[in-house]
């Protein structure tokens, strides 16, 4: 059984880390069910284990936290749905690559609920959308924007951290970092794509598609 938890308002990031750590420990010990925790954070940047100092271009703009998850720099803030995923991966094949692939598949299925085509890109973790309406890149290739990010950590095969989907955040807040170390592409959101989608709509879609990917 997976427990779904939704927190209203803005959740302090350090509090979220402590709650995740405790819940993951309880899952490992058999004291708690697996959980998906849906939150929004105040504006902040997080540094994953692969973050490069030069990719934090405006270090004084928002608080910066060491996340101890995989990946590089990521922004979290109001208007972005963060789904913290505390699952027993040992029950799902003990395959980290497959787990990340499934997380991306879950995001893609969620976006499809709004007729948005999310895509993977080799060498770029996360989910992307093409932007044919924008001018092409200098090399002539089509522009692409990132709409969802993910970064996980496993401890004794229990996952924590998770994914973020841009519903309607202030996209200028991403300017203080090089998101996930990728300079040649931008970021977007569901509302930026012209869709009048609410956080509650995304929550319903996440829950509806979860069982199609994770067993």
């Amino acid at each position: 059984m997976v427990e779904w938890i939704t927190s209203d308002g803005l959740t302090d990031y350090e509090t979220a880390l402590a709650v995740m750590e405790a819940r993951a420990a309880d899952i490992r010990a058999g004291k708690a069910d697996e959980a998906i925790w849906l939150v929004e954070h105040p504006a902040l940047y997080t540094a994953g284990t692969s973050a490069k100092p030069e990719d934090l271009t405006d270090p004084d703009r928002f608080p910066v936290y060491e996340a101890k998850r995989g990946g590089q720099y990521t922004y979290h803030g109001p208007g972005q749905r963060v789904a913290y995923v505390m699952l027993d991966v040992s029950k799902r094949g003990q395959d980290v690559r497959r787990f990340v692939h499934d997380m991306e598949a879950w995001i893609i299925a969620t976006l499809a609920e709004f007729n948005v085509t999310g895509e993977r890109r080799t060498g770029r973790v996360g989910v992307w959308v093409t932007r044919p309406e924008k001018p092409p890149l200098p090399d002539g290739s089509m522009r692409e924007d990132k709409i969802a990010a993910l970064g996980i950590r496993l401890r004794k095969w229990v996952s924590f951290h998770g994914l973020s989907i841009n519903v309607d955040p202030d996209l200028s807040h991403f300017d203080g970092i090089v998101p996930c170390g990728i300079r040649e592409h931008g970021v977007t959101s569901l509302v930026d794509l012209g869709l009048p989608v609410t956080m509650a709509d995304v929550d319903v879609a996440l829950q509806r598609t979860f069982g199609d990917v994770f067993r």
Side-chain angles (χ1 to χ4, degrees):
M1 180 181 294
V2 176
E3 181 184 5
W4 288 77
I5 307 161
T6 304
S7 290
D8 296 327
L10 301 179
T11 299
D12 174 74
Y13 188 73
E14 291 183 319
T15 299
L17 292 180
V19 170
M20 279 192 289
E21 293 259 7
R23 183 62 176 251
D26 285 345
I27 293 168
R28 285 193 301 273
K31 297 178 181 179
D33 291 328
E34 298 175 303
I36 307 293
W37 184 21
L38 304 177
V39 305
E40 283 179 87
H41 288 303
L44 57 93
Y45 299 129
T46 68
T49 54
S50 301
K52 301 174 182 177
E54 62 269 24
D55 287 344
L56 180 61
T57 58
D58 190 355
D60 299 322
R61 187 167 189 177
F62 299 123
V64 181
Y65 296 93
E66 298 290 332
K68 298 182 181 179
R69 52 154 176 81
Q72 301 188 41
Y73 278 106
T74 299
Y75 167 77
H76 293 315
Q80 182 191 72
R81 175 51 85 211
V82 176
Y84 288 129
V85 179
M86 290 155 280
L87 297 176
D88 186 347
V89 181
S90 68
K91 296 179 179 178
R92 298 173 173 85
Q94 292 192 352
D95 186 333
V96 177
R97 187 169 297 179
R98 176 185 169 187
F99 185 68
V100 171
H101 188 275
D102 286 348
M103 291 280 288
E104 291 174 333
W106 182 28
I107 295 168
I108 290 168
T110 298
L111 296 175
E113 295 280 299
F114 307 104
N115 296 314
V116 173
T117 302
E119 300 177 354
R120 298 180 179 90
R121 288 293 180 264
T122 301
R124 290 192 246 146
V125 175
V127 175
W128 302 77
V129 294
T130 57
R131 303 303 300 270
E133 75 280 11
K134 289 187 173 184
L137 291 169
D139 65 1
S141 61
M142 188 181 298
R143 289 190 180 272
E144 299 175 347
D145 287 340
K146 193 169 192 175
I147 194 167
L150 68 93
I152 63 166
R153 186 175 181 187
L154 296 180
R155 183 175 295 156
K156 296 182 179 178
W157 293 107
V158 175
S159 67
F160 50 113
H161 295 282
L163 62 86
S164 60
I165 297 176
N166 296 332
V167 181
D168 189 21
D170 185 337
L171 295 178
S172 72
H173 288 181
F174 287 86
D175 294 345
I177 57 172
V178 179
C180 300
I182 298 167
R183 298 177 182 274
E184 64 270 27
H185 297 289
V187 292
T188 189
S189 68
L190 289 166
V191 171
D192 182 54
L193 293 174
L195 299 168
V197 177
T198 67
M199 198 71 70
D201 295 331
V202 172
D203 292 349
V204 169
L206 283 165
Q207 195 157 0
R208 185 160 51 211
T209 57
F210 178 83
D212 295 335
V213 178
F214 294 97
R215 304 296 179 183

